[in-house]
Structures are given as C-alpha cells and as structure tokens.
Amino acid sequence: MFALSLVTLFVAAIALYISSIIKDDVFKAATKFTSVAFFLVTLICAPWILKLSVITIPLAIARLNPLPAKNL
C-alpha cells in the first residue's frame, strides 16, 4: 500500500510539472486533471504519516511565503 501511494504521488508530481511547462491548453488541462486524480488516489491509499506530510508540507511552505495583499 505504501509503494502504491508513493507511485501515485510521483505520477501526480510529474503530471503537475509537465502541465506547468507545456503551452497547449487542452493538454495542460488534461495533465492537471491527471495530477489531481492521482493526488486524490494518494490521499485515499496512503498511510496516515504520508497523508499528513502531503497536506502539511504545502501549508508550511505557504505560511513561509505568503502572497502579497493587493491594495484596492
């Protein structure tokens, strides 16, 4: 189960990376959908420690680099 969740997490990361590089809108949407689908499979199949790390690491990075507020 742990190996399956690591493979799906790897596929999601690669699909997200490919979607950031390509220019074609249809292919970009398809790779983003693939990334989200494999990310959800990871969250369903993964053990608790991997689930917590998958969720907390992006939140910690976002807390370190907050988006600047726009003045209206």
Side-chain angles (χ1 to χ4, degrees), residues 8-19:
T8 57
L9 187 61
F10 181 72
V11 170
I14 294 297
L16 191 62
Y17 175 72
I18 290 172
S19 71

Side-chain angles (χ1 to χ4, degrees), residues 46-68:
W48 282 104
I49 191 71
L50 187 61
K51 288 179 187 181
L52 290 175
S53 65
V54 163
I55 292 173
T56 56
I57 290 173
L59 291 176
I61 292 172
R63 184 167 294 202
L64 292 176
N65 296 325
L67 295 175

